Amino acid sequence: MSIRVTVAALGLLVGLSSSGTGQLVTPAMARDSLTIGISQFPPSLHPGIDPLVIKSYVDAFVTRPMTAYDANWTLQCMLCTKLPTIDNGGAVFETLPDGTRGIAVTFTLKPGLKWGDGVPVTSKDIVFTWKVGGDPKSGYSIPHPWERAKSVEAVDDRTVIFHLDHIDTSYNNWSQLLPEHLEAEAAKGENAGDYGKASLYARQPINPGLYNGPYIVTSYETSAQIVLEANPYWPGPKPALKRIVLRDIENTAALQANLESGDIDMTPGEGVGLSIDQVIAMEKKEPEKFVYLYKPSLTYEHIDLQANNPLLADVRVRRALLLAIDRQTLVSKLFEGKQPVAASWVNPLDGNYTKDTANYPYDPAKARALLKEAGWTPGSDGVCRNAKGVPLQLEIATTAGNKLRELTEQVLISQWKASCIAVSVKNEQARTFFGETMRKRLYSGMAMYAWSSNVDESPRRTLHSSQTPTDANGWGGANYIAFANPQMDADIAAIEGELDAAKRRPVWAEMQRIYAEQVPVLPLFFRAEPYALPKWLKGFTATGHGDYSPLWAENWRAE
Amino acid sequence: MNRFILRRLLQSALVLLVMSFVIYGLIGLMPGDPLDVMVASVPGVTPEQIARLRAIYGLDQPLMLRYFHWLMAALQGDLGYSRSHSVPVLAVLAPALWTTCKLMLISFVAAVALSFVLGITAALKPGGWLDGAIGLVAFAGISVPVFWLALMMILVFAVELHWLPASGGFTVGDGGFVDQFRHLVMPVTTLALATTGGFTRFVRASMIETLRADHIRTARAKGNPPSRVVLVHALRNAMIPVLTVMALSFGSLFSGALLTETMFAQPGMGKLIYDAILSNDFNLALSGLLFATLITLLANLAADLAYAWLDPRIKL
């Protein structure tokens, strides 16, 4: 009896497995569709509210910004005909009635642009987006806010002029538009937050009229998957892939298994797919199965030094900390050399990068000499002590559970130990680490984490003295190192008010020099975005910055 | 009976009220808020924008005030708005509840059926080789972590054999009954196997004890066939303690569903609650956990009612 039941059960399983075409048809076999595994799910697809990485990633398939940085980190028109600049006359300085100096920026939309329901994209949409985006009640929170423009003038159906009342280097960088014909009703709410709740992006995410990119959303299953299909009204090159499925698999081990089984075709590198160690391991195991791509990004892994710690007050100690660690070997051993060592927060791929700064290659002898010069001599236990007998002992904190960071910590601690610096670990859950310890600058010695920046972004939020989180400012700002350098403050103001890239470059160089000389932070490396792509996918380009690869998804094709 | 049910329902309502307060408070004690994640991951968002969002989401209000507002609205049937899904809580909970109920009920039925077969078989000859083998399987089921079992199943049946889909609820462009069933096979099996071990041990222990009772000896002496003695006389009595364990297991089944749903990318309650807690989506986390509590309470009530049915001596 039991044998018969077992045989029947196995028969059922085999029957199920061979149902339909006889074998599981994976998306990869279809080749006109692509299934992407993502490890997070977006809260909604509204392009301006809650700008999380996963949301920007999904939005990049369906909603085009006015402008975006391309793979060469150069700003390009996405919806406009020509990028307005001071040089080409698209942007001109103007004096406002109150005497302040501003800029007038003229944008002309490309002809034939339409929303996914066939309604043309017009100047009305730009003016509407500016109104909603600039309304504090709407909940808009994007890196290049719409309120930069004090007024927007619609010249005709396709041309608008933005009037900025100050000089802003991002004057010609503007984000996604909202469809006025669909969203106007939702924007009529009186109370703060009403718009976000009434918006069709939240209530009807599969409404095609919300999207103006090469794809529209045809299915949206919360916390499961999003299905995108070609937008019939897209005026650009017809997307070769008819369908793109974004499947949410939060556990990255399961995500990897899904990739190996063929249930998903690729994992993105923009921080919403596999971790770099997983992709490196896969490449070692199955080098021929996928195309593995590692794109250096603007995400800067580093160690903040606590300005209030007396042991770290002497710049020689800070320099010694940096000289004592072998960052090149660290990235070679842990990341197969895929992540470049950082000299400062400016990536070498950035046009503002300079090589002309103080350098700190691995040199433990020099580190010990510097410490000796600062009054620290090794004790009998191998730990340096000053004249008062105080040991050179520090704590390092990072996000608990992040395997690579914890491994990096161990390597660094052993290297510091060799230079008579004792370091102990005090890791915390990411929520506590970012939500409490960093936000309120409670770490005692060192804190290892990463932050991202935009191409050509001023370092104001992380290095300007006004951005130091304090109780008085409600712990606002991200200058967690409490860096206060008058020259740095002046340089930041200077680059923000100078539109000529050639004139800005020396100022950028000076900021990097100050950073390298003062060592308020120990730079480690720039993260690389790790992609696992199907071998048949062509036309894919990684960017390494916040304007993600799907912004050019119409070029993706199967070969 | 009716008074008993009414009393238990009132007790359940009280438990839910206390739980809502405790859960809200505990989530509120967690450091940071969802906007910190945004600050850390998205460059260029200004402190002013963050402050504005905190005000819009009510995160700038005292915790107790937020709880009080939620409670007043919940009593009128409004569970609030999910910040992390940008829709009312019920709109997210309903489909997730359906997915989880489907997963839990099928797994539960499968686990109960399997554990009764294994438990009774083992109890018939305690100490025999079959009892030992079943014990081994049961202990393996208890001790193997759900996430590992899930991963192994994916590796074997999806990666190596390509028999079953590794994740999701259906195939885009298909979604028929067979397709959905195929997507359920691995999650249901994983969850059922994880539960079967414990159930089997309880059924075995309860059956061994019952089979030694006087009334069983009497039933045998009266010439009843062994199958009738086991399945009618013994099983009914043995089920009383087993039912308690099974009713209480609904809570752990929920936590098992969390892992199973995460591993197999099933959009159910477990995954929803987990995400809501991580993203500090108070309304959603609270409502989800209260639903989980309610299910456990109702399962216990059902178990109490079943006692009376199984043993007429028990008066409710």
Side-chain angles (χ1 to χ4, degrees), chain B residues 118-195:
Chain B
L118 295 175
I120 292 169
T121 307
L124 288 177
K125 281 192 179 172
W129 69 270
L130 201 53
D131 181 30
I134 290 171
L136 197 69
V137 172
F139 281 121
I142 294 165
S143 49
V144 168
V146 174
F147 74 89
W148 185 84
L149 184 62
L151 202 56
M152 288 304 111
M153 292 199 70
I154 292 173
L155 290 175
V156 173
F157 294 107
V159 177
E160 292 301 325
L161 299 174
H162 289 282
W163 283 7
L164 293 165
S167 64
F170 62 91
T171 307
V172 176
D174 187 340
F177 175 77
V178 173
D179 179 61
Q180 289 195 43
F181 188 81
R182 293 178 67 245
H183 281 83
L184 269 177
V185 170
M186 282 205 287
V188 163
T189 309
T190 305
L191 200 53
L193 285 179
T195 322

Side-chain angles (χ1 to χ4, degrees), chain A residues 67 86-87 177 200 208 295 300 522:
Chain A
T67 58
I86 298 289
D87 288 344
L177 302 180
L200 292 186
K295 177 76 179 177
Y300 170 50
L522 308 181

Side-chain angles (χ1 to χ4, degrees), chain A residues 43 51 222-223 248 258 263 431, chain B residues 42 84-85 166-167 182 271 278:
Chain A
T222 299
S223 297
D248 179 30
N258 272 262
D263 277 57
R431 286 181 63 110
Chain B
V42 182
S84 61
H85 290 85
S167 64
R182 293 178 67 245
K271 188 163 174 280
L278 281 190

Side-chain angles (χ1 to χ4, degrees), chain A residues 1 59 87 91 102 106 138 173 249 252 264 267 306 332 338 452:
Chain A
M1 170 80 173
D59 267 335
D87 288 344
T106 304
S138 70
N173 190 1
I249 305 167
T252 53
I264 58 171
T267 53
Q306 175 56 264
S332 301
K338 310 288 188 194
S452 300

Side-chain angles (χ1 to χ4, degrees), chain A residues 306 434-443 469 475 480:
Chain A
Q306 175 56 264
F434 289 116
E436 196 75 7
T437 305
M438 295 312 295
R439 195 168 151 223
K440 297 185 178 173
R441 298 190 290 112
L442 297 175
Y443 60 101
W475 307 109
Y480 300 134

Side-chain angles (χ1 to χ4, degrees), chain A residues 194 268 309 351 363 377 463 507:
Chain A
D194 280 355
N309 188 323
D363 192 341
T377 47
L463 292 176
V507 188

Side-chain angles (χ1 to χ4, degrees), chain A residues 90-400:
Chain A
V92 292
F93 294 110
E94 62 181 1
T95 305
L96 301 173
D98 63 357
T100 55
R101 197 165 176 238
I103 316 176
V105 191
T106 304
F107 276 99
T108 302
L109 291 168
K110 284 179 181 171
L113 285 175
K114 287 181 179 173
W115 297 99
D117 56 2
V119 174
V121 178
T122 68
S123 303
K124 274 186 185 173
D125 297 313
I126 301 178
V127 175
F128 172 72
T129 308
W130 167 72
K131 280 182 184 163
V132 174
D135 180 358
K137 296 199 304 292
S138 70
Y140 247 76
S141 45
I142 52 174
H144 299 296
W146 286 92
E147 57 255 44
R148 284 174 297 159
K150 291 304 155 193
S151 65
V152 178
E153 189 185 330
V155 178
D156 57 39
D157 269 1
R158 289 175 37 224
T159 308
V160 294
I161 304 174
F162 291 103
H163 294 281
L164 284 70
D165 66 352
H166 62 286
I167 306 299
D168 190 319
T169 52
S170 66
Y171 67 91
N172 54 3
N173 190 1
W174 297 86
S175 56
Q176 292 95 337
L177 302 180
L178 301 174
E180 190 261 355
H181 68 290
L182 293 178
E183 287 288 276
E185 193 60 34
K188 286 180 180 166
E190 291 288 316
N191 301 315
D194 280 355
Y195 170 62
K197 292 177 186 172
S199 168
L200 292 186
Y201 288 100
R203 295 190 296 119
Q204 289 176 22
I206 59 168
N207 188 322
L210 296 170
Y211 310 108
N212 60 19
Y215 290 92
I216 53 172
V217 178
T218 56
S219 170
Y220 186 92
E221 203 186 344
T222 299
S223 297
Q225 62 184 16
I226 298 171
V227 181
L228 314 174
E229 287 179 10
N231 178 358
Y233 295 102
W234 169 248
K238 192 179 174 189
L241 298 169
K242 288 180 184 165
R243 179 188 285 158
I244 292 177
V245 180
L246 296 145
R247 185 173 297 165
D248 179 30
I249 305 167
E250 290 184 20
N251 183 290
T252 53
L255 185 62
Q256 186 177 339
N258 272 262
L259 186 63
E260 289 175 8
S261 72
D263 277 57
I264 58 171
D265 298 315
M266 68 169 268
T267 53
E270 282 96 342
V272 292
L274 296 174
S275 59
I276 191 165
D277 57 320
Q278 284 181 299
V279 177
I280 288 172
M282 274 189 74
E283 186 175 12
K284 280 182 179 169
K285 187 177 149 198
E286 297 175 305
E288 298 302 320
K289 194 169 179 180
F290 296 97
V291 172
Y292 303 94
L293 185 65
Y294 306 88
K295 177 76 179 177
S297 76
L298 281 166
T299 305
Y300 170 50
E301 193 80 32
H302 61 279
I303 298 173
D304 278 3
L305 301 177
Q306 175 56 264
N308 297 333
N309 188 323
L311 301 182
L312 295 167
D314 190 330
V315 71
R316 289 170 295 187
V317 174
R318 301 199 296 269
R319 287 175 186 161
L321 278 167
L322 198 48
L323 285 164
I325 55 176
D326 187 356
R327 293 172 291 167
Q328 191 55 58
T329 304
L330 181 94
V331 297
S332 301
K333 297 288 180 193
L334 289 187
F335 311 115
E336 304 283 323
K338 310 288 188 194
Q339 311 208 99
V341 170
S344 76
W345 81 97
V346 185
N347 192 304
L349 295 173
D350 192 321
N352 296 312
Y353 172 77
T354 180
K355 285 180 184 171
D356 182 24
T357 61
N359 211 342
Y360 300 91
Y362 178 52
D363 192 341
K366 197 171 174 185
R368 281 192 293 271
L370 264 179
L371 288 175
K372 193 174 177 187
E373 191 185 311
W376 296 93
T377 47
S380 55
D381 56 356
V383 178
C384 273
R385 283 182 160 73
N386 62 12
K388 292 177 186 167
V390 176
L392 185 49
Q393 196 161 12
L394 298 162
E395 275 183 345
I396 185 166
T398 191
T399 47

Side-chain angles (χ1 to χ4, degrees), chain B residues 11-65:
Chain B
Q11 282 174 352
S12 300
L14 190 65
V15 169
L16 286 176
L17 183 68
V18 173
M19 283 298 290
S20 71
F21 179 77
V22 171
I23 294 166
Y24 208 95
L26 285 176
I27 300 173
L29 283 177
M30 292 167 72
D33 63 44
L35 302 182
D36 293 323
V37 178
M38 191 193 297
V39 175
S41 64
V42 182
V45 176
T46 64
E48 292 76 25
Q49 289 174 333
I50 296 296
R52 206 185 291 160
L53 284 178
R54 282 207 167 91
I56 284 176
Y57 295 139
L59 296 168
D60 59 341
Q61 292 178 2
L63 189 70
M64 283 304 108
L65 187 63

